[in-house]
Amino acid sequence: DANPTTTRLATILIKIKPNIFFIILTLLLRIIIGTFIFKCCCGVFEWLLKTYKPDIYYRMLEMEFMDLKSKIRTVPHFPKEGIMFRDITTLLKDAQGFRRVIDEFVQRYTGVPIDVVVGLDARGFILGGAIAHQLGKGFVPVRKAGKLPAETISHEYALEYGTDKVEIHKDAIKKGDRVLIVDDLIATAGTCLAATHLIKKLGGEVVECAFLIELTDLKGREKLEKEGYKVFSLVEFEGE
């Protein structure tokens, strides 16, 4: 015969189990729904602020990225007199800072139809490669002339004194590919504009040009936007 105590215990457990399952399921649903509602509210608040109080929105955004700017070293008079060189190596060696930069880009482009990420020679390779990896996309380098081993196409562009040339492999971009261009810095936008010409020649479509740093006084953004390209940058610096 079954032990009465064991039987009663089994009966209690049978009654309790569905209740425990129901409680856990309810808690999980509340957490999921609460998180969803919270994100929706944050999104609506951000949209309202950006639409109706853009000055406050962009001031808050600038404060948010102030810590990233503090991790970027400024080297005076490099590579020539009068130039304030924005050195990102100090940011790259900071594990949290580097991760934050990549996460910001990845968050922006997650869900955006992109086929390939193009990085500009040379620091654009560091950022572009990491972003491409996180997005699960391929990476293509645009290099200075003579650096790529296979068949290339090139585009020459004007500098302050003289000209320069960039190249891309002929088979790097397929017709119809949607391309994200990434570089560490936008100044006069000469290199980036040259890269857009290469991508266009191969039949690709530039989704956006993304930069870690924008030198606002040099009007590179205006040149790209005049050609119809979207531009995004994480931090801004004044001056050259």
Side-chain angles (χ1 to χ4, degrees):
D1 292 339
N3 189 317
T5 305
T6 306
T7 304
R8 283 198 300 273
L9 184 61
T11 305
I12 292 168
L13 287 173
I14 290 169
K15 288 180 179 178
I16 288 175
K17 276 184 180 178
N19 290 334
I20 291 174
F21 175 76
F22 179 74
I23 290 168
I24 292 172
L25 183 62
T26 304
L27 286 172
L28 286 173
L29 284 172
R30 284 183 177 179
I31 291 169
I32 292 168
I33 293 169
T35 303
F36 176 75
I37 292 172
F38 177 75
K39 286 186 176 180
C40 286
C41 289
C42 288
V44 170
F45 176 75
E46 184 178 356
W47 178 81
L48 287 170
L49 199 63
K50 190 175 182 180
T51 305
Y52 297 105
K53 292 290 183 181
D55 53 332
I56 297 174
Y57 173 79
Y58 287 109
R59 200 179 306 129
M60 289 171 62
L61 207 61
E62 187 177 351
M63 288 173 64
E64 183 181 347
F65 290 113
M66 193 65 74
D67 62 325
L68 286 181
K69 288 182 72 171
S70 69
K71 297 178 190 296
I72 297 169
R73 175 168 53 196
T74 297
V75 182
H77 310 302
F78 182 86
K80 63 180 183 179
E81 190 72 22
I83 300 294
M84 303 295 282
F85 186 81
R86 311 301 178 178
D87 178 16
I88 69 166
T89 61
T90 47
L91 172 60
L92 296 177
K93 76 173 184 179
D94 185 294
Q96 290 183 340
F98 189 21
R99 178 182 291 276
R100 171 97 184 277
V101 167
I102 300 305
D103 286 348
E104 290 293 339
F105 282 119
V106 170
Q107 183 179 352
R108 179 174 179 83
Y109 297 112
T110 295
V112 177
I114 293 169
D115 298 300
V116 67
V117 176
V118 163
L120 305 187
D121 199 338
R123 288 176 293 275
F125 299 166
I126 301 169
L127 300 175
I131 293 166
H133 172 72
Q134 289 294 88
L135 292 174
K137 307 299 178 181
F139 174 78
V140 170
V142 166
R143 300 218 62 183
K144 300 291 185 182
K147 299 293 185 180
L148 293 171
E151 189 177 359
T152 63
I153 62 168
S154 62
H155 185 85
E156 191 172 82
Y157 61 100
L159 298 172
E160 187 178 357
Y161 302 104
T163 60
D164 207 345
K165 185 189 290 186
V166 290
E167 295 180 338
I168 191 172
H169 276 139
K170 207 170 183 179
D171 59 358
I173 305 288
K174 301 191 299 292
K175 187 175 181 180
D177 275 353
R178 291 174 57 82
V179 179
L180 171 66
I181 297 177
V182 176
D183 202 4
D184 70 315
L185 181 142
I186 175 174
T188 61
T191 307
C192 189
L193 278 169
T196 65
H197 285 294
L198 293 176
I199 292 163
K200 192 175 180 180
K201 282 181 187 177
L202 294 176
E205 177 189 349
V206 177
V207 175
E208 194 162 71
C209 304
F211 306 92
L212 168 55
I213 300 169
E214 179 178 354
L215 302 183
T216 54
D217 291 352
L218 298 183
K219 310 297 184 184
R221 173 187 287 270
E222 292 179 14
K223 293 176 185 176
L224 286 169
E225 290 178 341
K226 186 178 178 181
E227 296 296 321
Y229 298 112
K230 295 180 180 178
V231 179
F232 172 73
S233 63
L234 279 183
V235 299
E236 296 179 353
F237 285 93
E238 296 178 351
E240 295 190 359

